[in-house]
Amino acid sequence: MGDRAGAGRDWEARRWYSKLAQVPGDPLAGLGRADDRWRRWCQGPRSVPEVVRDRPEPLGAVDWDVVICGGTLGIFVGVALARAGWRVAIVERGALRGREQEWNIARAELRSLLDLNLLEAADLEAAIAREFNPVRVQFSGFEPVWVKNILNLGVSPAKLIASLRQQFLRHGGQLFEQTAVTAVTVHPDGIAIATQPSTGPAIAQGQGATGAYGNEHSQGNGAIANPNPSQVLTSRLAIDAMGHFSPIAQQGRQGRAPDGVCLVVGTCASGFVVNDTADLMVSTTGIADGRQAFWEAFPAGDRDRTTYRFAYCRPTPDAFTLHDLFEDYFQNLSTYQGLEDLDNLIYKRALFGFFPSYRDSPLQPFCDRLLAIGDSSGLQSPLSFGGFGALLRHLPRLVAGLQDALTADCLDRADLAHLLPYQPNLAVTWLFQQAMVVDPSPRDRNGNPDRINQLLGTVFAEMATGGDRVLRPFLQDAVQFGALTETLARITVAHPILTATLLPQLGPIALARWLPHYGALATYSAIAHLTPALRAIAAPLPLSPTQHYHLKQQLANWRYGAGHE
Ligand SMILES: Cc1cc2nc3c(=O)[nH]c(=O)nc-3n(C[C@H](O)[C@H](O)[C@H](O)COP(=O)(O)OP(=O)(O)OC[C@H]3O[C@@H](n4cnc5c(N)ncnc54)[C@H](O)[C@@H]3O)c2cc1C
């Protein structure tokens, strides 16, 4: 696979690929590291070090209620809990500082930050770098579908996290920066988190899957650096917010390779014709080189544009690499953006990452007193690489649940599993990811190159007929039973031949795996409608704090699992 990355690149691609080398921060080195890591994942299961251990002896008095390992998304939960009076510490390997590259999200999804009083409205507004509309979904050979107010804000993680950091410190939280979590010991009455001064990245960038976002480099603000050498923090609960490659999550997954992966590359550049629209998912080509690639594009900063090329695959030894995808990106970018050539673009950042997803998600707690949030938890759709958006969607439920769990001392493994529940609305989307993966078999690789475009173009055209009510839940990673069933029915009736060819392509195993999730989605949807009544029935019951916690979580989980919030 590594040789393939170097071979067969045409002159034009190489020329523009070499332009990447001029982006500050040496993105090519980061890209090389990311691809090395990706190749290792493609080799199958790996042995992983044991960082979490159980000890039978009691720990005694602890210093913290919650220690959060990893600060990028961890700070969101950290502020909420510190505000509520819990003793919270965050341990961050770098400096707690968000990346420059914007996160895209919808305004409505930011609402939870204000509802939970994590930020002042003015601070949130100040973090919104760009707002734009409409947003396009289009597949080669099909008409565009335009939507509004989906992923149509660019939010500056640097500003957002700077404001959250202030709030966290103001509410008594303690930040250990440049401090890496090295081991976790679970005792019957507490959890001990061993740390040591970090030689890791100097900034915490929200790097997602790779730890590399091109030109972001150390700005060493030196605030609240941890002056202590190695130390052990003791707590009632530890939260793993160390991202997809968290050593704790790796142990929880026992080194298993992911079931599906989304590879993403792109740049943020100036020099495009000013364009205030965005692309959520656009294809300009069919299946080529064993993949179906898509585009995503967002206005960024004042006049810049972020463009991504992404494709889904399985981690197999012959899977394509980030290098392959970057080559494809530069070869097709000018056609996609309607540019004569790429000479006028000034690249500010190179962006790349790979996003593993596992069928058995979210990752269930595998010991007491330890809970995952953010990318390490796998509580997001296998279709999207919007981990920030996924956390915000669940934040009200998570924060309320964590507080109830701490109050009722419901911190064992089974209790914490309520906070990472099975979500049928995410599980059903596995089939959609599979439908966009090109199988390595010659039949699939050399078959109709437009089959994925035809499928997606048809599905989205039918969804558009159903209007926002049908389209929106799909695009916002909150699939709902009614909208899904309506879409499936429309497609089966209007496009029987497409349906008949799709079923054998997906195969009986994938379908057999999918049907129980679809059934669960129906059940969750039915129960979700009853939750107000169930809540009213339960209100007068003399429940213990533990029973109250369990019931409240179960009611919330039915609603979220049905795609409601
Ligand atoms: C190219 C790209 C574009 C993206 N665009 C969007 C978008 O538009 N919208 C969106 O919602 N999401 C987007 N994402 C996803 C988003 O960036 C991630 O979901 C989010 O950063 C996940 O945060 P996290 O805190 O869970 O993990 P990470 O971002 O990986 O952060 C983990 C943190 O843990 C720290 N850490 C790691 N190991 C240790 C250790 N041993 N000890 C202490 N600390 C440790 C790291 O320094 C880091 O701060 C994008 C990602 C990429 C790669």
Side-chain angles (χ1 to χ4, degrees):
M1 187 164 63
D3 291 344
R4 284 203 314 117
R9 245 176 235 139
D10 74 8
W11 180 87
E12 188 67 6
R14 243 183 291 162
R15 189 175 149 221
W16 295 112
Y17 180 69
S18 71
K19 237 189 166 196
L20 260 191
Q22 296 159 22
V23 178
D26 198 4
L28 288 177
L31 188 65
R33 282 194 299 272
D35 255 342
D36 284 348
R37 177 172 238 170
W38 168 229
R39 282 187 201 106
R40 285 198 299 274
W41 281 52
C42 289
Q43 302 310 317
R46 293 144 305 129
S47 64
V48 288
E50 196 184 13
V51 286
V52 183
R53 291 208 173 121
D54 276 315
R55 298 287 306 173
E57 68 274 8
L59 190 59
V62 295
D63 294 327
W64 306 98
D65 293 306
V66 183
V67 170
I68 300 176
C69 311
T72 301
L73 293 185
I75 186 82
F76 291 77
V77 171
V79 175
L81 295 179
R83 263 197 111 263
W86 300 102
R87 298 166 301 165
V88 187
I90 294 180
V91 183
E92 169 50 56
R93 184 176 59 181
L96 180 58
R97 184 178 179 282
R99 63 178 193 169
E100 290 304 322
Q101 178 61 33
E102 287 150 26
W103 275 324
N104 291 101
I105 191 144
R107 191 172 274 279
E109 290 170 310
L110 291 175
R111 184 79 232 161
S112 61
L113 295 177
L114 299 180
D115 291 348
L116 292 167
N117 285 318
L118 302 194
L119 284 176
E120 303 291 333
D123 290 335
L124 183 55
E125 280 310 313
I128 297 175
R130 190 84 183 250
E131 187 159 8
F132 41 84
N133 259 319
V135 177
R136 175 173 66 143
V137 178
Q138 183 169 21
F139 302 98
S140 177
F142 287 80
E143 290 299 310
V145 173
W146 292 98
V147 289
K148 283 196 163 171
N149 302 329
I150 292 178
L151 292 189
N152 68 314
L153 298 189
V155 175
S156 158
K159 289 189 182 157
L160 197 59
I161 288 178
S163 297
L164 288 166
R165 174 197 171 104
Q166 275 183 6
Q167 294 290 342
F168 181 67
L169 298 173
R170 183 175 305 153
H171 291 291
Q174 191 162 344
L175 195 48
F176 296 87
E177 294 178 289
Q178 310 295 154
T179 304
V181 173
T182 52
V184 172
T185 315
V186 185
H187 298 259
D189 57 345
I191 186 159
I193 298 102
T195 68
Q196 64 181 36
S198 170
T199 51
I203 64 169
Q205 305 173 41
Q207 299 97 331
T210 65
Y213 266 124
N215 67 341
E216 302 196 55
H217 50 278
S218 168
Q219 305 203 351
N221 60 10
I224 328 219
N226 173 25
N228 301 314
S230 306
Q231 62 177 319
V232 176
L233 307 181
T234 57
S235 179
R236 295 173 63 205
L237 173 72
I239 292 181
D240 170 18
M242 293 187 283
H244 281 301
F245 302 105
S246 150
I248 295 176
Q250 296 301 301
Q251 184 177 334
R253 299 276 185 200
Q254 296 174 336
R256 265 199 313 111
D259 299 298
V261 179
C262 179
L263 267 69
V264 184
V265 301
T267 64
C268 181
S270 62
F272 289 99
V273 176
V274 175
N275 176 354
D276 261 334
T277 69
D279 289 343
L280 190 58
M281 192 174 190
V282 165
S283 64
T284 49
T285 49
I287 295 171
D289 298 324
R291 59 183 173 266
Q292 172 65 60
F294 302 97
W295 294 101
E296 211 172 15
F298 302 103
D302 283 340
R303 299 174 67 86
D304 302 339
R305 198 160 178 82
T306 301
T307 46
Y308 291 120
R309 190 112 169 109
F310 65 98
Y312 300 98
C313 67
R314 292 187 202 104
T316 54
D318 60 351
F320 55 92
T321 62
L322 292 166
H323 280 79
D324 294 333
L325 204 56
F326 245 131
E327 179 182 324
D328 172 329
Y329 169 86
F330 284 113
Q331 277 177 338
N332 291 290
L333 182 61
S334 52
T335 313
Y336 166 50
Q337 285 293 306
L339 303 168
E340 274 183 19
D341 56 42
L342 302 178
D343 277 336
N344 293 332
L345 297 187
I346 299 166
Y347 301 102
K348 301 194 167 168
R349 280 184 285 278
L351 310 157
F352 46 88
F354 66 94
F355 298 86
S357 46
Y358 293 83
R359 264 207 191 80
D360 56 346
S361 288
L363 175 63
Q364 290 304 291
F366 61 97
C367 60
D368 297 342
R369 300 183 181 275
L370 184 57
L371 179 80
I373 64 158
D375 283 358
S376 63
S377 70
L379 190 66
Q380 57 170 294
S381 151
L383 298 177
S384 110
F385 47 100
F388 164 60
L391 178 82
L392 288 197
R393 230 161 284 139
H394 287 270
L395 203 56
R397 178 185 68 76
L398 264 176
V399 168
L402 275 167
Q403 296 217 61
D404 289 345
L406 287 164
T407 306
D409 210 22
C410 289
L411 299 176
D412 70 24
R413 192 178 154 180
D415 294 328
L416 295 176
H418 282 284
L419 299 176
L420 282 173
Y422 165 64
Q423 301 277 286
N425 70 321
L426 295 184
V428 286
T429 60
W430 263 100
L431 195 69
F432 313 149
Q433 199 213 55
Q434 294 305 294
M436 289 189 272
V437 170
V438 178
D439 205 71
S441 70
R443 189 174 62 90
D444 208 28
R445 282 177 79 108
N446 306 326
N448 173 8
D450 282 324
R451 72 166 175 85
I452 295 176
N453 282 324
Q454 283 163 359
L455 171 68
L456 294 175
T458 308
V459 169
F460 274 87
E462 287 301 333
M463 283 200 287
T465 318
D468 256 22
R469 184 182 48 83
V470 174
L471 202 51
R472 218 161 250 286
F474 275 89
L475 297 177
Q476 294 195 307
D477 275 342
V479 171
Q480 293 173 1
F481 179 73
L484 176 60
T485 306
E486 190 174 326
T487 306
L488 294 178
R490 278 174 190 275
I491 292 168
T492 311
V493 171
H495 307 278
I497 297 176
L498 181 80
T499 314
T501 50
L502 181 63
L503 294 183
Q505 248 164 38
L506 290 169
I509 297 175
L511 282 173
R513 274 189 180 142
W514 181 76
L515 279 171
H517 298 306
Y518 180 60
L521 184 61
T523 312
Y524 273 53
S525 301
I527 300 175
H529 286 112
L530 301 175
T531 50
L534 293 173
R535 210 175 288 124
I537 293 168
L541 299 178
L543 300 178
S544 69
T546 304
Q547 289 166 325
H548 176 76
Y549 164 75
H550 283 231
L551 178 71
K552 210 168 139 194
Q553 287 320 304
Q554 192 52 63
L555 292 175
N557 294 344
W558 280 321
R559 265 197 355 267
Y560 276 79
H564 305 291
E565 283 165 22

